Amino acid sequence: MLRGVKKIVKGQKTQDGAGVHLVRVISRPDVVDFDPFLMLDAFDSYNPEDYIKGFPWHPHRGIETVTYLIQGDIEHGDSLGNKGSILDGGCQWMTAGGGILHQEMPQACEHMLGVQLWLNLPAKDKMTRPQYRDIVSDNVPKVVKDGSTVGVISGEYDGISGAVHGDYVKMTFLDVELEKNIEFDLVTNSEDNLFIYTIYGSGLVNENTVDAKSGVLFEAGDHFKLTALEDGLRFLLFAGKPIKEPIAWGGPIVMNTREELNQAFQDLEDGNFIRKDVIL
Ligand code: FE
């Protein structure tokens, strides 16, 4: 069955970190519908003042954060000793698991264009070993056909295996560029929740026109189809199996129960947040 449009969200302009201007496309009110996806922040700025204050050292537990830049430069460092930069076409997939401290500092560049997705972890994996993957653009396979280019960041497209396969939620994550009137087709797992975030252009799904800068959640189905309109269309596609577990969310920490959340904040206070037993 072809997937229809279930819900379109535009998100809210907001600031986070030390004063980074962004659009929070999906967030807490959306988690039931978008499960296993918790949050999507979108960055699109030609003005470094919008983002150079960055996200100084902060904790995460219970989630994975996936940052993808179409263009830009974000320097990062974490409590595992990792250091590096996310650059044009690059992706950082960080499993916070039992606990990580990190900072994410966007650097002044011509155009900062990208997203950060928060992917939930199932209860059994929330306290897993923190892990961190840097995927450079060259390691993202691109499937180029008549009028379409598809970057396969994770999962699979057209028989091509992506740069990453998650260890926990096996998300499909594609970066799709379509020229005008080109149709994009994907066979999907019926039970997966699937949404897209449109970067530019517009498209047509059944009778619904979808504009730029929209989060579009689809109904269940085993087939996804969309056609680019006059200006072409670029969108990011995310699909994953819902976890269907309770959520206790406190800032950068997302657990299942209030007790686990309190424990996380207690661990932060006590200096026990980074679990040496798990890391070593
Ligand atoms: Fe972070």
Side-chain angles (χ1 to χ4, degrees), residues 32-202:
V32 172
D33 285 340
F34 283 74
D35 182 15
F37 306 109
L38 296 167
M39 197 171 89
L40 183 79
D41 282 347
F43 314 96
D44 184 358
S45 173
Y46 291 92
N47 178 7
E49 293 303 316
D50 284 344
Y51 54 77
I52 49 167
K53 289 177 187 152
F55 304 89
W57 292 97
H58 59 277
H60 288 291
R61 177 180 281 181
I63 59 169
E64 298 185 274
T65 66
V66 180
T67 308
Y68 177 66
L69 291 182
I70 290 174
Q71 287 180 63
D73 180 351
I74 300 181
E75 261 184 35
H76 59 85
D78 69 27
S79 51
L80 305 178
N82 297 299
K83 239 174 170 354
S85 292
I86 313 166
L87 300 171
D88 294 1
C91 178
Q92 181 204 79
W93 189 309
M94 188 196 71
T95 305
I100 202 164
L101 294 165
H102 78 162
Q103 64 168 348
E104 305 155 283
M105 304 304 285
Q107 303 297 300
C109 59
E110 194 195 327
H111 188 189
M112 183 68 69
L113 179 63
V115 297
Q116 182 171 89
L117 177 80
W118 287 18
L119 191 54
N120 204 3
L121 283 168
K124 67 178 174 46
D125 298 317
K126 281 205 178 280
M127 295 303 283
T128 193
R129 184 192 175 90
Q131 210 196 135
Y132 171 94
R133 293 186 186 86
D134 251 329
I135 305 137
V136 297
S137 178
D138 283 352
N139 292 336
V140 177
K142 313 282 189 304
V143 180
V144 182
K145 287 193 236 174
D146 264 0
S148 78
T149 303
V150 179
V152 191
I153 299 139
S154 73
E156 204 174 280
Y157 171 70
D158 205 26
I160 300 298
S161 188
V164 183
H165 295 275
D167 293 334
Y168 308 102
V169 172
K170 310 281 184 196
M171 142 171 97
T172 301
F173 177 12
L174 307 176
D175 177 358
V176 182
E177 269 183 279
L178 304 175
E179 290 174 15
K180 70 171 182 182
N181 302 328
I182 296 292
E183 190 177 274
F184 175 83
D185 245 289
L186 185 71
V187 174
T188 60
N189 290 327
S190 300
E191 70 272 26
D192 279 4
N193 273 333
L194 183 152
F195 82 99
I196 64 170
Y197 178 65
T198 53
I199 305 287
Y200 55 72
S202 56

